[in-house]
Amino acid sequence: MNKKVGTRAYICAFCIAAASNFGFSVAYAYSSYYVAFQTATGFTNTQLGLLLTVLGIASTVLYLPGGFIADRFSPIKLTIIGLIGAGAIGFFVAMFPSYPVMMLLYVLFAVFAVLIAWNPQMKVLRMISTDDQQAKIQTMRAYGRTLPILVISLAGSSLLALLEEETALRVTLYLYGGLAIVCAIIAGITYKPVESQAKSVDESRITLRDYAHVLKRPEVWIIGLIGFSAYTANTGVTYLQPYLADIYDLSAATSSAFAVIAKNCALLSAPIITWIAAKGKVPVTKVLGFSLIVAAVCFALYIIMPQTGGLLIISIVFYMVSAMCIMATWALQFVPVTEIGIPMAITGSAIGAISMFSFVSDIFYSTVCGYFIDNYGLNGYKWIFGMTVVILVAGVVACIYVVNKIKKNQKAA
């Protein structure tokens, strides 16, 4: 059993995550640079919204077949091809083509980033370390997803102040696409699977019948529920920003600063959870369960707290604590795949099902939250927080199931 993860594996994990996130930043560029994107393209608000709707639907449909592909062909080759393709889409988006062409580019992006690259890259991350070190690899993935894009996004914002909006956005998209390609190539160069993990992949290639059995495994969907809980609850965290602004008259600059911290706090909280699990010699999934409980308590307190200015500091504390817990769970959501003992040969297929379940709320949840705010005003936030509590509790139940399954597997071994 290896005690350490090699530097090469860390670099590979970091670059895979960075390449993936640079690619997705191309598709989500309009949400970060909304005004500049609309000015450059001339698209209406409805048209911009439909781009992500199409991307969300295409992605949801492609996660499952992408899992089967990941277990049929070389995961590292698929990862590199998909990430380079997704990065290349950025250069075409930067041309700001007509709306039908832009819509096609978003569909093609889903093909490269989701169908070809998403599930294989998760399998690659599992292959480059022993199972007992997966939490460290997933933590490095969290760093790769966050740090590079944070730096480039800040650079993009600076460019908007120095150049014309269209030029600044085009340069930013070139950076996203180019860096995605460079990081994908570095990941391919540094990729070196652990011998035992590679052997288990080489010994078996999944068939359609095997794939059907994967979809029948309850633990796959239970792990998906953990991801769904963290991802959907993150929407609740997002709505804390306008809530604090509306209730406590927090300025846009201050509330935005807290939102940036909340979005990137996994850089701190994911390593802490990994460290707690290692020191306590317990599964990471168990610590994730406690983390979701803490987050649920924070949101429950938001529901019963009086909406008075004197509670601003306490509200901010709850905001940061809940964000740290939820984002850490999101960063480490695939660790249970290893801990529960899903075979390496079907990892890609399992990740496909888990991801589809995890991200399905993209299709409807923001619309639901918007409905409550539009129709119930400030009380609409309490409906959102109540839904968030229920979703987090569901995630806790899923973690308990996984931990019990881990214990049973250990006893049977």
Side-chain angles (χ1 to χ4, degrees):
M1 182 178 294
N2 295 337
K3 296 297 182 183
K4 294 182 179 180
V5 177
T7 301
R8 190 166 176 165
Y10 277 133
I11 294 174
C12 183
F14 185 92
C15 288
I16 284 176
S20 180
N21 217 26
F22 279 130
F24 275 100
S25 294
V26 168
Y28 288 89
Y30 97 77
S31 62
S32 300
Y33 310 102
Y34 194 97
V35 175
F37 201 95
Q38 191 170 43
T39 300
T41 60
F43 298 158
T44 65
N45 294 305
T46 300
Q47 286 177 320
L48 289 175
L50 281 173
L51 287 176
L52 285 194
T53 299
V54 168
L55 176 61
I57 293 173
S59 298
T60 301
V61 171
L62 294 175
Y63 280 123
L64 284 179
F68 178 76
I69 292 172
D71 289 329
R72 284 291 298 175
F73 303 101
S74 167
I76 187 60
K77 290 180 181 178
L78 289 171
T79 297
I80 295 172
I81 292 171
L83 293 178
I84 289 177
I89 294 292
F91 292 95
F92 293 99
V93 172
M95 296 177 184
F96 306 126
S98 64
Y99 190 71
V101 175
M102 186 70 83
M103 188 78 78
L104 176 61
L105 288 175
Y106 269 66
V107 174
L108 287 175
F109 176 84
V111 171
F112 281 110
V114 177
L115 177 67
I116 298 177
W118 179 257
N119 300 298
Q121 69 180 277
M122 296 303 167
K123 189 167 184 175
V124 167
L125 293 176
R126 188 175 178 186
M127 291 177 67
I128 59 178
S129 76
T130 55
D131 285 350
D132 60 311
Q133 298 295 332
Q134 266 299 292
K136 292 181 180 179
I137 286 294
Q138 293 295 332
T139 299
M140 182 56 66
R141 171 175 171 261
Y143 278 91
R145 288 174 58 223
T146 307
L147 284 176
I149 200 64
L150 183 60
V151 173
I152 299 302
S153 295
L154 291 173
S157 298
S158 299
L159 286 172
L160 287 174
L162 298 173
L163 305 173
E164 292 182 1
E165 288 184 342
E166 182 175 335
T167 302
L169 181 57
R170 179 173 283 118
V171 172
T172 302
L173 289 169
Y174 285 157
L175 283 172
Y176 286 156
L179 288 171
I181 293 171
V182 170
C183 288
I185 293 172
I186 295 174
I189 293 171
T190 55
Y191 169 73
K192 184 179 180 181
V194 174
E195 185 177 350
S196 58
Q197 306 285 46
K199 184 179 180 181
S200 64
V201 172
D202 294 336
E203 287 176 347
S204 176
R205 292 292 181 186
I206 194 170
T207 64
L208 286 174
R209 180 175 295 181
D210 296 327
Y211 182 62
H213 286 310
V214 172
L215 300 183
K216 293 178 181 178
R217 294 175 72 117
E219 60 267 35
V220 169
W221 299 103
I222 294 296
I223 295 173
L225 179 56
I226 297 174
F228 174 86
S229 175
Y231 188 70
T232 309
N234 183 43
T235 304
V237 173
T238 299
Y239 280 101
L240 283 173
Q241 180 189 356
Y243 177 76
L244 292 178
D246 290 342
I247 298 299
Y248 303 111
D249 294 324
L250 231 59
S251 68
T254 303
S255 60
S256 295
F258 283 120
V260 171
I261 295 171
K263 184 178 180 180
N264 297 288
C265 63
L267 292 172
L268 176 64
S269 55
I272 289 175
I273 284 184
T274 301
W275 179 81
I276 291 173
K279 289 296 181 182
K281 296 181 180 180
V282 297
V284 171
T285 307
K286 185 172 184 177
V287 186
L288 295 181
F290 282 111
S291 183
L292 293 179
I293 290 173
V294 173
V297 170
C298 289
F299 275 97
L301 290 172
Y302 269 117
I303 297 173
I304 63 176
M305 277 173 50
Q307 297 177 340
T308 59
L311 296 175
L312 173 60
I313 301 300
I314 295 177
S315 296
I316 291 175
V317 170
F318 290 158
Y319 182 10
M320 292 297 102
V321 170
S322 60
M324 289 182 71
C325 293
I326 291 169
M327 295 309 292
T329 303
W330 176 241
L332 301 173
Q333 70 167 127
F334 293 113
V335 174
V337 171
T338 301
E339 292 187 327
I340 207 170
I342 290 178
M344 176 63 74
I346 61 171
T347 293
S349 300
I351 293 294
I354 292 167
S355 297
M356 186 194 72
F357 193 178
S358 296
F359 295 116
V360 72
S361 61
D362 268 343
I363 297 175
F364 64 89
Y365 195 65
S366 292
T367 303
V368 172
C369 292
Y371 168 83
F372 280 115
I373 295 174
D374 289 342
N375 288 273
Y376 297 100
L378 293 179
N379 285 327
Y381 288 110
K382 292 193 174 183
W383 279 97
I384 295 172
F385 299 155
M387 291 189 295
T388 302
V389 171
V390 172
I391 290 167
L392 288 168
V393 170
V396 172
V397 173
C399 287
I400 293 172
Y401 175 92
V402 172
V403 171
N404 288 335
K405 186 74 173 179
I406 292 170
K407 291 179 179 178
K408 289 181 180 178
N409 290 344
Q410 289 174 341
K411 289 180 180 178

